[in-house]
Amino acid sequence: MKIIMLGAPGAGKGTQAKMIADRYGIPHVSTGDIFRANIKNGTKLGMEAKQYMDKGLLVPDELTVKILLDRVAEEDCRNGYVLDGFPRTIPQAEVLDEALAGLGEKIDYAIDVEVPDENIVKRMGGRRACLSCGATYHIEHVPPKKEGVCDVCGQELVLRDDDKPETVRNRLKVYHEQTQPLIEFYQAKGVLKSVDGTMDMKDVFAAIEKILEA
Ligand code: ADP
Ligand code: AMP
């Protein structure tokens, strides 16, 4: 099963992608997590990506597409995966489609998690991330057991630099201009499904399960 999560930054793509990955035993592949791991390890890719991420801009397709295609070519992705944060542009989606077509494969579902912009800025200010293992929390909705500490790996939780309000507004602008057109792209392919992302995260997941098990 190959699934793409669509939606604005902060819509809950990562939250739902992790639940899907757990439930169906497929890997959760997040380009944002891959970039953040590279930044943390001080790699050349990380240093390049950071310049764009800190401004709320997209990392150029040339850098992004290769890391994603390399990742999904790994052994654990053989039976499918859930992509979170990729594709974010039409050219990225086209390259992915071509690569899959070359293998006789295709995307099965593109799930759009719908949340209005007004809710997003509020949500992002409360997001706390573990840069070590990629776990995500929210100070109100999903607090860690001990404030500021990751439940999974015990590392410190941080407010991501790109989750500060000014950058979030820029990311939303970039989302509407460059990523939202993917909704029509996948609708035309007959694989688009939409869920109301303003519901409680368990209810959002129940709606997704219903789609995947229909
Ligand atoms: P994305 O991957 O789309 O950027 P996340 O999954 O990281 O978004 O979610 C953004 C923030 O909102 C996180 O702090 C997360 O805990 C919280 N969140 C996710 N889903 C919901 C929901 N349904 N209701 C309230 N808060 C949510
Ligand atoms: P995310 O964790 O998905 O919110 O991504 C954080 C940031 O990483 C984005 O704001 C972009 O700067 C960059 N990024 C992640 N995925 C992509 C992608 N597919 N294309 C371009 N930039 C990306």
Side-chain angles (χ1 to χ4, degrees), residues 15 18 26 38 51 55 59 69-70 91 93 96 101 113 117 119 127 129 133 141 147-148 157 173 179 194 196:
T15 302
K18 286 189 187 94
I26 50 177
N38 274 275
Q51 297 174 23
K55 295 188 190 115
V59 177
L69 292 182
D70 285 351
L96 176 64
V113 184
D117 286 9
N119 301 28
R127 172 156 69 180
C133 75
H141 308 295
E147 197 184 317
L157 298 178
K173 188 167 168 273
T179 307
S194 300
D196 175 1

Side-chain angles (χ1 to χ4, degrees), residues 162-181:
D162 60 347
D163 278 351
K164 294 176 180 150
E166 274 165 42
T167 316
V168 170
R169 274 187 271 276
N170 205 22
R171 291 170 69 195
L172 279 170
K173 188 167 168 273
V174 167
Y175 166 75
H176 290 300
E177 287 170 4
Q178 301 194 52
T179 307
Q180 210 170 13

Side-chain angles (χ1 to χ4, degrees), residues 9-10 13 30-33 35-36 49 52-54 56-61 64-65 68 84-89 92 124 127 160 162-163 171:
K13 300 181 298 295
S30 156
T31 37
D33 281 353
F35 288 137
R36 282 184 288 278
Y52 299 95
M53 291 168 72
D54 283 352
L57 299 173
L58 295 185
V59 177
D61 289 346
T64 310
V65 165
L68 188 278
D84 158 21
F86 186 100
R88 262 184 159 98
T89 63
Q92 289 181 12
M124 305 287 255
R127 172 156 69 180
R160 280 168 40 181
D162 60 347
D163 278 351
R171 291 170 69 195

Side-chain angles (χ1 to χ4, degrees), residues 8-15 84 123 127 136-138 141-142 197 199-201 204:
K13 300 181 298 295
T15 302
D84 158 21
R123 257 195 205 181
R127 172 156 69 180
T136 306
Y137 302 84
H138 190 281
H141 308 295
V142 197
M199 301 186 290
D200 183 276
M201 52 190 76
V204 180

Side-chain angles (χ1 to χ4, degrees), residues 34-148:
I34 296 173
F35 288 137
R36 282 184 288 278
N38 274 275
I39 293 172
K40 189 160 178 269
N41 295 328
T43 69
K44 187 165 167 278
L45 170 69
M47 286 189 296
E48 261 186 278
K50 189 174 180 351
Q51 297 174 23
Y52 299 95
M53 291 168 72
D54 283 352
K55 295 188 190 115
L57 299 173
L58 295 185
V59 177
D61 289 346
E62 305 83 78
L63 291 179
T64 310
V65 165
K66 185 175 182 321
I67 59 155
L68 188 278
L69 292 182
D70 285 351
R71 176 66 189 91
V72 298
E74 286 177 30
E75 181 61 26
D76 64 330
C77 289
R78 259 185 42 184
N79 293 326
Y81 41 78
V82 50
L83 300 186
D84 158 21
F86 186 100
R88 262 184 159 98
T89 63
I90 296 277
Q92 289 181 12
E94 287 172 344
V95 173
L96 176 64
D97 245 33
E98 282 161 26
L100 289 175
L103 300 167
E105 297 174 0
K106 63 173 188 56
I107 292 299
D108 299 299
Y109 299 95
I111 302 176
D112 182 31
V113 184
E114 298 178 320
V115 178
D117 286 9
E118 310 85 87
N119 301 28
I120 297 280
V121 182
K122 222 190 270 171
R123 257 195 205 181
M124 305 287 255
R127 172 156 69 180
R128 294 294 177 273
C130 174
L131 298 183
S132 208
C133 75
T136 306
Y137 302 84
H138 190 281
I139 50 177
E140 280 168 39
H141 308 295
V142 197
K145 292 196 184 82
K146 187 169 174 225
E147 197 184 317

